[in-house]
Amino acid sequence: MPLLPARLNLIDGRDLPAASGLTLPVIDPADASALTTLPRSDARDIDAAVAAARSAFAGAWGRTTATERGRVLMRLSAAITAQAEALSELECRDTGKPIAQARADIAACARYFEFYAGAADKLHGETVPYAAGSTVLVLRVPFGVTGHIIPWNYPAQIFGRSVGGALAAGNACVVKPAEDACLTPLRIARLALDAGLPAGALNVVCGLGAEAGAALAGHPGIAHLSFTGSPATGTAVTQAAAVHHVPVTLELGGKSPQIVFADADLDAALPVLVNAIVQNAGQTCAAGSRVLVERSVHDRVLALLAERFSALRTGPGLAGADCGPLINARQRDRVAAMVERAVGDGARVVAQSRLLPEAAATGCWFPPLLLADVDPAAPIAQEEVFGPVLCVLPFDDEAHAVALANGTPYGLTAAVWTRDGSRALRLAHAIEAGQVFINNYGAGGGIELPFGGMKHSGHGREKAFEGLRSFTTLKTVAIAHG
Ligand code: NAD
């Protein structure tokens, strides 16, 4: 018997089942029990949601002033904060993440709406000095209907990040959350309507990527698409959107390096190095999954990391463990297979965290694991594991550190730990990444900081004021007046 009532899509302000009448199970990854069901939507449901968004944009929502949009989003932020504990518990059950992480995620989601509420009426266009006797206005305008395909690792946070900016800029949104975790986006979208968002301005359609997701990516009625997920799916959605020349923002994950020099403050660095890979069981696009250590301190850093990994407790999120389960059995098996291959390739398991006795045998567990003697060219050091697996690699000098840092297809985030300020800045310039942290690391953190990748990590930026601009386009009005 599922724990929660069946969930429905939110389309045009109404709670609706899938047109097909089909549902998908929602499974608690901590014990494989049934939580609820979701609508298994298809192109018909996406059509209805896009039509609702188009009419909201042409109607009440499209006429709303920027100030009023900001007020609606501020009320939504307050509503999320007021219901934070219930939302955190829902996020914890749906994704498996530790309750402390879920609380941080819900607070971040509220903060996204607060940030974009405050920014909504600060966004404006420009004038251009052009020909004599003319005035040129460059208007910054919303796209119209924006599509948002979001993943399962941070459902509430990525919903806030993507939808917050798009709504503040004046767009109407259609969201396809991940089939593995979409309970908080559905709940928060309903709160948005209660906060005064007109029906149709925000629609959430659940279902499988290959069905509902593909229908949204290829829909001729959307004018912009924001996607967060795997590189392969990023390619598929870009190809689908290109048929209608729809611009796409892509956030596709990474293989983020943390570079530790011999002069680093290890007391400050160590807890951050561990958290950057254990947070959300490593299922974080900006997880710090490679620690590059100057050879003279490599063995010492490895031993200190091993101590911390051994002390971590893996178990149910609601039990307050340091690390929860992976999202599903497929992801757990994928991580286990990558580690098995790495060990076959010569990597050495240095430490692995404990599984708490209360962890159900049916849970999708993979306790945090520390690997050394990793070949920089091996898949474990090149590909996104999306699990709590940390590779430690030695480097000889600055040039070697930069070569290793840049030696993967990804370029999302990085960190440099050193007391030498000039070296830190040289590396910040040399590293190919959308964000470089010096003596700190925010795995995906910082709503005020532009976020997005280089190389295979994607393109376009979300978060910060840049995330608001990303959901607008420019219209130039040239007036000849003599
Ligand atoms: P995915 O990229 O397939 O799924 C992400 C979202 O895209 C989900 O909402 C899914 O329903 C949707 N989707 C899937 N196929 C689609 C299609 N053809 N058209 C439109 N939408 C589609 O990710 P996954 O399969 O859940 O996870 C696989 C790997 O992706 C992970 O192991 C990890 O490496 C990576 N990943 C990265 C992030 C990130 O934050 N960068 C998030 C989730 C997964």
Side-chain angles (χ1 to χ4, degrees):
M1 180 69 176
L3 188 74
L4 302 167
R7 302 292 136 139
L8 298 168
N9 290 328
L10 180 63
I11 299 177
D12 207 12
R14 292 185 298 153
D15 296 311
L16 297 172
S20 65
L22 299 174
T23 60
L24 295 165
V26 178
I27 304 298
D28 182 338
D31 61 9
S33 64
L35 276 179
T36 178
T37 59
L38 298 174
R40 181 172 167 176
S41 312
D42 59 27
R44 290 168 288 176
D45 307 286
I46 292 289
D47 278 346
V50 172
R54 286 178 78 86
S55 73
F57 184 72
W61 183 239
R63 288 192 295 273
T64 312
T65 63
T67 309
E68 185 50 30
R69 290 199 298 273
R71 287 181 182 145
V72 170
L73 296 184
M74 197 61 91
R75 289 196 292 272
L76 171 57
S77 175
I80 295 167
T81 302
Q83 298 200 16
E85 200 48 35
L87 286 165
S88 303
E89 197 171 309
L90 198 60
E91 192 78 328
C92 175
R93 285 188 185 281
D94 201 13
T95 62
K97 63 182 68 190
I99 187 71
Q101 173 72 55
R103 288 189 185 116
D105 286 9
I106 297 302
C109 177
R111 173 77 184 117
Y112 275 114
F113 287 109
E114 179 187 50
F115 180 90
Y116 287 115
D121 58 4
K122 280 84 184 168
L123 183 72
H124 53 73
E126 297 178 332
T127 61
V128 179
Y130 184 52
S134 75
T135 299
V136 175
L137 313 174
V138 181
L139 309 178
R140 194 168 271 285
V141 297
F143 281 103
V145 176
T146 51
H148 306 258
I149 299 178
I150 63 177
W152 41 259
N153 50 347
Y154 291 90
Q157 274 213 52
I158 297 177
F159 179 79
R161 170 178 110 191
S162 195
V163 162
L167 289 173
N171 300 283
C173 305
V174 177
V175 182
K176 208 303 276 176
E179 50 273 41
D180 279 303
C182 61
L183 301 186
T184 54
L186 278 171
R187 180 79 66 87
I188 294 166
R190 175 48 74 189
L191 291 179
L193 298 191
D194 298 344
L197 198 71
L202 175 58
N203 308 275
V204 182
V205 183
C206 302
L208 298 173
E211 297 172 358
L216 181 58
H219 204 287
I222 62 166
H224 181 277
L225 183 70
S226 162
F227 172 81
T228 303
S230 62
T233 306
T235 302
V237 301
T238 303
Q239 285 170 338
V243 172
H244 304 290
H245 306 290
V246 170
V248 181
T249 298
L250 292 179
E251 203 271 88
L252 305 176
K255 194 73 190 170
S256 298
Q258 299 224 33
I259 303 173
V260 182
F261 283 92
D263 69 348
D265 176 350
L266 290 184
D267 290 340
L270 278 162
V272 179
L273 297 179
V274 173
N275 185 54
I277 188 66
V278 173
Q279 175 183 322
N280 214 39
Q283 302 167 119
T284 302
C285 46
S289 52
R290 291 185 297 152
V291 170
L292 314 179
V293 190
E294 194 162 7
R295 201 175 292 278
S296 61
V297 289
H298 172 270
D299 291 354
R300 188 164 148 238
V301 170
L302 191 61
L304 292 169
L305 285 170
E307 253 174 48
R308 288 175 181 264
F309 267 65
S310 305
L312 292 168
R313 297 156 316 129
T314 300
L318 283 173
D322 301 309
C323 183
L326 299 192
I327 188 71
N328 56 35
R330 184 169 57 93
Q331 282 295 119
R332 183 206 46 214
D333 295 347
R334 183 178 165 278
V335 172
M338 287 184 82
V339 168
E340 199 180 315
R341 177 162 179 203
V343 171
D345 287 345
R348 172 166 56 99
V349 175
V350 181
Q352 186 161 28
S353 106
R354 287 178 297 131
L355 195 56
L356 289 172
E358 56 265 47
T362 44
C364 304
W365 311 109
F366 193 91
L369 184 88
L370 184 64
L371 287 177
D373 303 341
V374 172
D375 175 356
I380 198 78
Q382 288 286 318
E383 295 169 14
E384 191 171 47
V385 176
F386 235 56
V389 178
L390 182 62
C391 297
V392 180
L393 297 97
F395 68 82
D396 297 313
D397 55 23
E398 223 175 282
H400 188 203
V402 171
L404 286 173
N406 290 342
T408 78
Y410 292 102
L412 189 59
T413 52
V416 182
W417 296 89
T418 178
R419 286 190 168 96
D420 180 338
S422 300
R423 174 159 66 193
L425 286 175
R426 276 195 302 277
L427 263 82
H429 284 280
I431 292 170
E432 297 160 346
Q435 289 185 336
V436 181
F437 293 87
I438 311 289
N439 294 329
N440 73 107
Y441 190 67
I447 286 155
E448 306 80 358
L449 314 181
F451 182 73
M454 294 180 178
K455 306 188 323 192
H456 288 205
S457 290
H459 51 75
R461 294 291 176 267
E462 290 193 346
K463 301 192 178 185
F465 215 76
E466 206 50 45
L468 194 56
R469 290 194 197 98
S470 298
F471 290 108
T472 62
T473 187
L474 298 178
K475 181 188 282 182
T476 303
V477 181
I479 309 151
H481 42 68

